[in-house]
Amino acid sequence: MGEAGILSREEALRFESPQWKHACHVLFYAPCHGRLFGKFPLRYAVLMQMRFDGRLGFPGGFVDPEDVSLEEGLSRELQEELGPGAALLQVTKQDHLSAYTSEKPRRVVAHFYIKQLTLEELQTLEEKATQAKDHGLEVMGLLRVPLYILQDGVGGLPTFLTNSFIGNAREQLIHSLDTLQLVPREQLQKAVNMAQKRP
């Protein structure tokens, strides 16, 4: 099995339904070369969403028994949550980053994908998200993660990480930022440490 509870796609598929439910979520990101106030490099646009319960998470959801594959189930969920812009996106097996299992409150295998887009594709996704079936219901809106630390050492990513996240979405975000090197490791660690110090 994978290190520290992290499983590969193949390992995770050994946990079969109906005993286990499989859920798939994805982090979309795109290079973004602008600067905030002309000073702080944006680096990348990374999408998350505000859920119906007030927590932050990633687009996706549970795979249904009639879905042929994990990726088909994810594609269906993305179209429901993100609308017509998601129909043009193909999330594949190659985009699978990791999976983990949880037995409480029920047995779930959570799969996590990462997909790089162009900034134009990401902007189209944002613009069309308000046309999604679940907009204003399950999904309250999309947001971008601030990948910088302001001069006060608190604003930006450190403050963002103090929000309430669903499940292990916060850990998935940090792991992805590190794995993809979207934030320099030293800055990422500083942001995590600052977030942990805040009440």
Side-chain angles (χ1 to χ4, degrees):
M1 290 294 180
E3 267 183 52
I6 295 177
L7 308 175
S8 69
R9 184 181 183 278
E10 292 70 29
E11 290 169 332
L13 285 172
R14 295 177 194 165
F15 294 84
E16 297 179 2
S17 55
Q19 294 86 3
W20 291 86
K21 288 277 291 177
H22 288 256
C24 298
H25 294 85
V26 60
L27 177 152
F28 289 114
Y29 72 102
C32 184
H33 302 297
R35 286 179 175 267
L36 177 67
F37 308 131
K39 289 183 181 179
F40 305 98
L42 301 178
R43 297 191 184 93
Y44 293 88
V46 174
L47 284 187
M48 293 193 78
Q49 63 186 20
M50 174 66 75
R51 293 163 36 95
F52 63 94
D53 56 9
R55 296 175 183 159
L56 300 180
F58 293 100
F62 283 106
V63 177
D64 290 340
E66 58 268 24
D67 292 322
V68 174
S69 67
L70 295 175
E71 292 73 31
E72 182 182 286
L74 176 57
S75 178
R76 175 185 50 73
E77 283 287 336
L78 292 178
Q79 290 187 48
E80 291 174 7
E81 293 186 358
L82 300 178
L88 304 174
L89 305 176
Q90 291 294 320
V91 181
T92 68
K93 293 178 184 179
Q94 286 69 39
D95 300 314
H96 190 278
L97 177 65
S98 61
Y100 80 100
T101 61
S102 174
E103 297 199 46
K104 293 180 180 180
R106 56 181 165 169
R107 291 183 166 186
V108 174
V109 183
H111 299 265
F112 193 62
Y113 294 75
I114 49 175
K115 179 79 174 179
Q116 182 172 347
L117 308 177
T118 66
L119 187 57
E120 292 75 20
E121 289 171 328
L122 186 136
Q123 288 169 334
T124 298
L125 200 59
E126 291 174 317
E127 290 165 7
K128 295 191 175 183
T130 57
Q131 301 171 37
K133 174 185 134 190
D134 289 342
H135 179 74
L137 298 169
E138 287 187 39
V139 180
M140 306 314 286
L142 296 179
L143 53 91
R144 293 188 187 188
V145 180
L147 301 184
Y148 44 78
I149 301 175
L150 298 182
Q151 287 175 332
D152 63 2
V154 176
L157 187 56
T159 296
F160 184 84
L161 293 176
T162 64
N163 281 297
S164 179
F165 293 81
I166 186 68
N168 71 335
R170 182 181 184 274
E171 290 72 25
Q172 288 172 327
L173 172 63
I174 293 168
H175 178 63
S176 299
L177 296 180
D178 187 37
T179 301
L180 299 168
Q181 298 182 357
L182 302 187
V183 176
R185 184 164 288 174
E186 183 179 327
Q187 284 195 27
L188 179 59
Q189 190 58 58
K190 181 179 178 183
V192 171
N193 291 343
M194 286 301 299
Q196 289 171 344
K197 290 176 184 175
R198 297 199 69 191

